[in-house]
Amino acid sequence: KIESLLAEIKTLTASNAEEAEALRLKYLSKKGEINALMADFRSVPAEQKKEVGIKINELKQTAMERINALREQCETAETQDEGIDLTRSAYPIDLGTRHPLTIVKNEIIDIFSRMGFILADGPEVEDDLHVFTKMNFAADHPARDMQDTFFVEQNAEDVTKNIVLRSHTSSVQARYMETSQPPIRIISPGRVYRNEAITARAHCFFHQVEGLYIDKDVSFTDLKQVLLSFAREMFGADTKIRLRPSYFPFTEPSAEMDISCHICGGKGCGFCKHTGWVEILGCGMVDPNVLEQCGIDSKVYSGYAFGMGVERITNLKYQVSDLRMFSENDTRFLEEFTSAN
Ligand code: PHE
């Protein structure tokens, strides 16, 4: 009897936890078969008691091990069916990092904030009035073509009613001047749009930080000094600047500013095309027409303005040669800026 039960137990199977439990009840519970054998133990002749006792104990041990193993098997199988594998180790989750353009934009904001500039912003979908007209672009002025504009709504009779994607954040200057009187000292960071083919050197959108300062007796010297301080803080204390005459409808005189190439220290390298200089921004004295159109008395006040591309500064600072990298969200590129965060 003991032998046949032992053979039976060794071949037990269960396909789920309930079946395993049923087996436990059948063999191992109080009213189970093994306990029933124990009850018969009394009738075993004395000289065989020792041998039979050992065998029953062995049987009980085997039954417990077998049934426990079946139960564990069934439980593991069931959690795996639910798609949860409790045996897998936890994996580390990488933290995100700031985008390089955000890092550099914040740095530009920091530098100008320390010089007393405060932040101003405005809409990306703008009217012609603020992007062009108040910035002294005449209705038929060819300078409107300087910035390849995306039109949202075109008005046949009145171009100033056109709705556009702003092509520079000078529109924020116009909005700020309309509602404030000097002294004005603002910077306006933001995204701007231009209808250009996407290449390594151009994109249909980029980011700008423009600055505006208006007060009594503001001179070109003030502008130059502020820009020199900026260049030195951004690119290093021994950075030199030079201003070249240029043209913008909203400033007169206008200039473009170069910095001595910080990679070769101005000696000339492939990066600055062996000139020792790289262009970083446009600037000038605010045209009196702009002040008048925005409600500021140009006989009392004067001012300067400047505007730079955040992509350009980032390219120079981190030697990124392809603009498209900034909007591809390739984590291999973004991870390179972890230490700059
Ligand atoms: N708005 C000009 C641009 O987008 C930059 C600029 C700003 C130039 C202010 C001069 C003064 O190109």
Side-chain angles (χ1 to χ4, degrees):
K1 176 89 193 190
I2 296 175
E3 301 296 334
S4 69
L5 256 183
L6 191 60
E8 193 179 314
I9 284 166
K10 279 186 176 159
T11 59
L12 287 180
T13 58
S15 54
N16 57 45
E18 279 112 66
E19 282 182 33
E21 174 61 7
L23 292 175
R24 192 190 65 80
L25 289 172
K26 179 165 186 236
Y27 293 100
L28 292 167
S29 66
K30 254 193 189 155
K31 290 184 184 154
E33 304 208 8
I34 293 173
N35 257 3
L37 278 179
M38 302 270 214
D40 294 343
F41 191 62
R42 261 177 280 132
S43 55
V44 174
E47 67 275 14
Q48 287 178 20
K49 269 205 160 91
K50 188 177 175 199
E51 196 195 338
V52 174
I54 291 172
K55 283 211 162 136
I56 293 183
N57 272 335
E58 265 175 24
L59 175 67
K60 196 173 178 185
Q61 193 62 34
T62 312
M64 271 161 59
E65 278 166 16
R66 177 84 198 159
I67 290 169
N68 274 341
L70 287 175
R71 193 165 50 202
E72 264 171 40
Q73 250 177 39
C74 293
E75 279 169 5
T76 319
E78 276 160 29
T79 42
Q80 274 166 354
D81 279 354
E82 288 163 18
I84 303 164
D85 180 358
L86 299 175
T87 64
R88 277 187 63 175
S89 58
Y91 55 89
I93 299 168
D94 288 336
L95 286 180
T97 60
R98 284 209 173 81
H99 192 279
L101 293 179
T102 308
I103 297 171
V104 171
K105 180 191 75 180
N106 288 346
E107 210 173 327
I108 299 172
I109 292 174
D110 255 22
I111 294 171
F112 285 109
S113 299
R114 274 183 259 128
M115 295 194 254
F117 288 81
I118 59 165
L119 287 175
D121 66 7
E124 290 182 18
V125 180
E126 236 326 347
D127 52 22
D128 174 285
L129 200 62
H130 293 91
V131 179
F132 294 126
T133 305
K134 291 200 174 200
M135 282 290 127
N136 202 34
F137 293 71
D140 56 353
H141 199 293
R144 279 175 192 255
D145 299 332
M146 260 170 70
Q147 305 184 340
D148 303 284
T149 311
F150 282 118
F151 292 93
V152 177
E153 258 174 58
Q154 276 187 297
N155 188 297
E157 282 106 60
D158 184 357
V159 287
T160 69
K161 294 215 171 84
N162 285 345
I163 305 293
V164 302
L165 295 183
R166 68 180 178 192
S167 52
H168 55 181
T169 58
S170 300
S171 52
V172 180
Q173 299 182 22
R175 284 192 178 272
Y176 199 88
M177 285 187 274
E178 280 173 352
T179 54
S180 321
Q181 282 298 308
I184 290 172
R185 188 153 28 183
I186 56 162
I187 46 168
S188 48
R191 183 175 284 188
V192 300
Y193 300 83
R194 293 187 192 181
N195 190 1
E196 293 192 47
I198 298 170
T199 65
R201 322 193 97 250
H203 211 296
C204 59
F205 64 77
F206 63 100
H207 300 79
Q208 280 190 328
V209 177
E210 293 210 348
L212 173 71
Y213 178 42
I214 302 170
D215 206 342
K216 287 178 181 150
D217 302 322
V218 178
S219 73
F220 201 92
T221 320
D222 299 324
L223 170 63
K224 197 172 168 185
Q225 191 56 45
V226 160
L227 295 180
L228 177 63
S229 303
F230 166 73
R232 286 181 172 168
E233 289 217 43
M234 190 51 120
F235 293 101
D238 47 6
T239 307
K240 296 183 192 64
I241 62 166
R242 77 175 183 190
L243 291 156
R244 287 177 289 102
S246 185
Y247 171 77
F248 299 103
F250 32 89
T251 46
E252 182 59 35
S254 303
E256 267 161 338
M257 186 175 96
D258 299 339
I259 55 166
S260 54
C261 178
H262 64 296
I263 291 161
C264 59
K267 287 189 210 67
C269 65
F271 202 70
C272 55
K273 302 198 178 68
H274 302 282
T275 62
W277 297 95
V278 282
E279 187 200 317
I280 64 160
L281 56 79
C283 60
M285 300 307 290
V286 180
D287 193 299
N289 280 338
V290 173
L291 296 177
E292 292 298 333
Q293 297 225 44
C294 296
I296 290 171
D297 188 345
S298 65
K299 284 180 236 46
V300 181
Y301 296 107
S302 57
Y304 62 70
F306 55 86
M308 67 188 84
V310 180
E311 276 81 350
R312 176 130 195 87
I313 306 284
T314 312
N315 285 347
L316 293 173
K317 190 143 174 141
Y318 293 105
Q319 300 177 46
V320 179
S321 54
D322 191 332
L323 266 183
R324 291 168 292 194
M325 304 279 265
F326 292 126
S327 40
E328 274 169 2
N329 276 344
D330 185 332
T331 52
R332 288 169 302 179
F333 170 68
L334 298 175
E335 276 165 7
E336 291 191 31
F337 297 88
T338 319
S339 62
N341 264 268

